Amino acid sequence: MNRPRTAAYTLIEVLIAAGVLLVVTAAAAALALATLTQEEINARIARCLNLHEQAARLYQLGLAPDKIIAILPEDSAVASLTFTAAALPITNLGTVDQATTTLTYRTTPQSGAWAAGTWSAGENSTTALRTSTLTVIRPSLR
Protein backbone atom coordinates (compact mmCIF):
# COMPACT_ATOMS: atom_id res chain seq x y z
CA MET A 1 0.00 0.00 0.00
CA ASN A 2 1.17 3.37 -0.87
CA ARG A 3 0.73 5.96 1.85
CA PRO A 4 0.42 9.56 0.75
CA ARG A 5 3.30 11.83 1.89
CA THR A 6 2.32 14.57 4.22
CA ALA A 7 3.60 18.03 3.41
CA ALA A 8 4.06 19.11 7.02
CA TYR A 9 7.41 19.93 8.68
CA THR A 10 8.55 17.96 11.64
CA LEU A 11 9.38 19.60 14.95
CA ILE A 12 13.10 18.92 14.48
CA GLU A 13 13.18 20.64 11.10
CA VAL A 14 11.49 23.70 12.58
CA LEU A 15 13.93 23.82 15.51
CA ILE A 16 16.93 23.55 13.18
CA ALA A 17 15.60 26.35 10.96
CA ALA A 18 14.95 28.54 14.01
CA GLY A 19 18.49 27.90 15.30
CA VAL A 20 20.03 28.86 11.97
CA LEU A 21 17.91 32.02 11.87
CA LEU A 22 18.97 32.86 15.44
CA VAL A 23 22.67 32.49 14.58
CA VAL A 24 22.32 34.70 11.50
CA THR A 25 20.43 37.36 13.45
CA ALA A 26 23.02 37.36 16.25
CA ALA A 27 25.86 37.72 13.73
CA ALA A 28 24.10 40.65 12.04
CA ALA A 29 23.54 42.37 15.40
CA ALA A 30 27.19 41.89 16.41
CA LEU A 31 28.34 43.31 13.06
CA ALA A 32 26.04 46.32 13.46
CA LEU A 33 27.35 47.00 16.97
CA ALA A 34 30.98 46.73 15.85
CA THR A 35 30.29 49.09 12.94
CA LEU A 36 28.56 51.61 15.19
CA THR A 37 31.43 51.50 17.69
CA GLN A 38 34.01 52.04 14.95
CA GLU A 39 32.00 54.97 13.54
CA GLU A 40 32.00 56.61 16.99
CA ILE A 41 35.76 56.12 17.32
CA ASN A 42 36.39 57.53 13.83
CA ALA A 43 34.24 60.59 14.59
CA ARG A 44 36.20 61.25 17.82
CA ILE A 45 39.53 60.93 15.99
CA ALA A 46 38.41 63.27 13.20
CA ARG A 47 37.20 65.85 15.75
CA CYS A 48 40.51 65.74 17.64
CA LEU A 49 42.67 65.99 14.53
CA ASN A 50 40.57 68.92 13.30
CA LEU A 51 41.05 70.65 16.66
CA HIS A 52 44.80 70.06 16.41
CA GLU A 53 44.95 71.56 12.92
CA GLN A 54 43.00 74.59 14.13
CA ALA A 55 45.50 75.06 16.98
CA ALA A 56 48.35 74.97 14.44
CA ARG A 57 46.61 77.55 12.22
CA LEU A 58 46.03 79.87 15.17
CA TYR A 59 49.72 79.63 16.05
CA GLN A 60 50.63 80.51 12.47
CA LEU A 61 48.37 83.55 12.72
CA GLY A 62 50.44 84.81 15.66
CA LEU A 63 48.49 83.83 18.76
CA ALA A 64 50.34 82.74 21.87
CA PRO A 65 49.99 79.08 22.91
CA ASP A 66 48.15 79.93 26.15
CA LYS A 67 45.64 82.05 24.19
CA ILE A 68 45.14 79.22 21.68
CA ILE A 69 44.33 76.73 24.43
CA ALA A 70 41.89 79.23 25.95
CA ILE A 71 40.15 79.93 22.62
CA LEU A 72 39.67 76.38 21.37
CA PRO A 73 36.47 74.63 22.50
CA GLU A 74 36.84 71.90 25.07
CA ASP A 75 36.39 68.33 23.93
CA SER A 76 36.04 65.38 26.28
CA ALA A 77 38.25 63.31 23.96
CA VAL A 78 41.25 65.65 24.37
CA ALA A 79 43.57 64.64 27.19
CA SER A 80 46.19 67.37 26.62
CA LEU A 81 47.38 69.97 24.12
CA THR A 82 50.94 71.27 24.53
CA PHE A 83 53.19 73.68 22.65
CA THR A 84 56.99 73.73 22.68
CA ALA A 85 58.16 76.93 21.00
CA ALA A 86 61.66 78.01 19.98
CA ALA A 87 63.32 80.50 17.65
CA LEU A 88 64.75 78.88 14.53
CA PRO A 89 67.48 80.79 12.66
CA ILE A 90 67.51 80.26 8.90
CA THR A 91 70.64 81.22 6.97
CA ASN A 92 70.21 84.38 4.86
CA LEU A 93 66.53 84.66 5.82
CA GLY A 94 66.50 85.56 9.49
CA THR A 95 64.68 83.95 12.37
CA VAL A 96 61.31 82.20 12.42
CA ASP A 97 59.29 80.86 15.30
CA GLN A 98 58.90 77.11 15.39
CA ALA A 99 56.52 75.24 17.66
CA THR A 100 55.99 71.56 18.10
CA THR A 101 52.44 71.00 19.20
CA THR A 102 51.34 67.68 20.66
CA LEU A 103 47.74 66.60 21.11
CA THR A 104 46.96 63.54 23.22
CA TYR A 105 43.42 62.24 22.86
CA ARG A 106 41.21 59.33 23.86
CA THR A 107 39.70 57.13 21.20
CA THR A 108 37.02 55.86 23.58
CA PRO A 109 34.77 57.86 25.92
CA GLN A 110 35.45 58.00 29.64
CA SER A 111 31.76 57.65 30.46
CA GLY A 112 28.74 56.23 28.71
CA ALA A 113 27.15 52.92 27.89
CA TRP A 114 30.22 51.25 26.37
CA ALA A 115 33.01 53.10 28.22
CA ALA A 116 33.13 50.62 31.10
CA GLY A 117 33.89 47.67 28.86
CA THR A 118 36.26 47.31 25.97
CA TRP A 119 35.93 48.63 22.47
CA SER A 120 36.24 46.67 19.24
CA ALA A 121 40.06 46.47 19.27
CA GLY A 122 40.08 45.12 22.81
CA GLU A 123 41.73 48.15 24.39
CA ASN A 124 40.47 49.38 27.73
CA SER A 125 39.01 52.91 27.67
CA THR A 126 41.64 54.22 30.11
CA THR A 127 44.59 53.13 27.95
CA ALA A 128 43.24 53.96 24.49
CA LEU A 129 45.27 57.17 24.12
CA ARG A 130 46.76 58.37 20.86
CA THR A 131 49.15 61.23 20.14
CA SER A 132 49.36 63.59 17.21
CA THR A 133 52.39 65.88 16.73
CA LEU A 134 52.68 68.83 14.35
CA THR A 135 55.63 71.14 13.75
CA VAL A 136 54.45 74.65 12.89
CA ILE A 137 56.56 77.54 11.58
CA ARG A 138 55.57 81.21 11.49
CA PRO A 139 57.43 84.47 10.83
CA SER A 140 59.11 85.84 13.91
CA LEU A 141 56.96 88.45 15.66
CA ARG A 142 59.88 89.99 17.58
Side-chain angles (χ1 to χ4, degrees), residues 48 51-52 69 75-83 101-106 129-132:
C48 290
L51 188 98
H52 197 198
I69 293 170
D75 192 328
S76 62
V78 175
S80 68
L81 175 62
T82 60
F83 286 84
T101 175
T102 304
L103 177 78
T104 304
Y105 58 95
R106 293 175 196 86
L129 291 175
R130 293 188 184 173
T131 303
S132 172

Side-chain angles (χ1 to χ4, degrees), residues 48-129:
C48 290
L49 294 180
N50 184 11
L51 188 98
H52 197 198
E53 286 184 27
Q54 298 308 315
R57 298 290 178 243
L58 289 171
Y59 182 81
Q60 285 178 330
L61 288 172
L63 271 72
D66 56 339
K67 296 280 188 189
I68 294 170
I69 293 170
I71 288 173
L72 291 174
E74 289 190 25
D75 192 328
S76 62
V78 175
S80 68
L81 175 62
T82 60
F83 286 84
T84 306
L88 177 68
I90 299 178
T91 308
N92 299 329
L93 290 177
T95 303
V96 295
D97 289 336
Q98 175 183 345
T100 301
T101 175
T102 304
L103 177 78
T104 304
Y105 58 95
R106 293 175 196 86
T107 56
T108 57
Q110 288 184 300
S111 62
W114 53 280
T118 56
W119 63 294
S120 60
E123 293 184 51
N124 191 302
S125 62
T126 58
T127 60
L129 291 175

Side-chain angles (χ1 to χ4, degrees), residues 25-41 113-115 117-121:
T25 304
L31 180 63
L33 180 62
T35 302
L36 184 66
T37 302
Q38 193 61 46
E39 284 292 322
E40 171 69 20
I41 291 168
W114 53 280
T118 56
W119 63 294
S120 60

